[in-house]
């Protein structure tokens, strides 16, 4: 296997790992602005995957539509919202044991 092909494969795996890390950042971070930035980074990584797969039009559409328009709109909405600095909202749910029991029953039913 030529060294260039091995480097391209390693780079592709590195980009995919970065996409996964940023996607986890989108759903786990508590600051909405940081979540939006992680979403933008994940979408840029997906555009890089499109470039590697030789789908340049999809990569350009990904950058222009999703990163350029949607993420920008989300960031403006977050920045214009007044209640971000207010009282923190409780993030726990009192119905977690019931939901877990339902999930376990559903898993047993499917299995």
């Amino acid at each position: 296997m030529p060294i260039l092909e091995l480097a391209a494969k390693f780079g592709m795996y590195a980009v995919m790992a970065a996409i996964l890390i940023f996607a986890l950042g989108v759903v786990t971070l508590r600051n909405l602005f940081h979540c939006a930035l992680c979403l933008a980074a994940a979408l840029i990584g997906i555009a890089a995957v499109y470039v590697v797969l030789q789908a340049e039009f999809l990569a350009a559409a990904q950058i222009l539509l999703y990163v350029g328009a949607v993420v920008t709109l989300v960031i403006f909405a977050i920045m214009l919202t007044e209640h971000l600095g207010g009282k923190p909202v409780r993030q726990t749910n009192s119905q977690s044991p019931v939901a877990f029991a339902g999930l376990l029953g559903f898993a047993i039913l499917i299995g």
Side-chain angles (χ1 to χ4, degrees), residues 12-79:
M12 183 73 165
Y13 288 136
V15 168
M16 285 191 234
I19 291 171
L20 183 62
I21 290 169
F22 284 123
L24 287 173
V26 170
V27 296
T28 58
L29 293 175
R30 293 191 182 266
N31 189 344
L32 286 176
F33 185 73
H34 293 159
C35 290
L37 291 179
C38 283
L39 178 64
L43 292 174
I44 289 171
I46 292 171
V49 170
Y50 285 149
V51 168
V52 171
L53 294 174
Q54 296 178 353
E56 289 85 9
F57 178 76
L58 286 177
Q62 178 87 9
I63 295 290
L64 288 174
L65 293 177
Y66 289 110
V67 180
V70 174
V71 173
T72 304
L73 183 67
V74 168
I75 288 175
F76 279 139
I78 290 169
M79 291 175 73

Side-chain angles (χ1 to χ4, degrees), residues 1-12 52:
M1 179 176 281
I3 190 74
L4 189 59
E5 187 176 325
L6 186 64
K9 191 176 282 192
F10 178 73
M12 183 73 165
V52 171

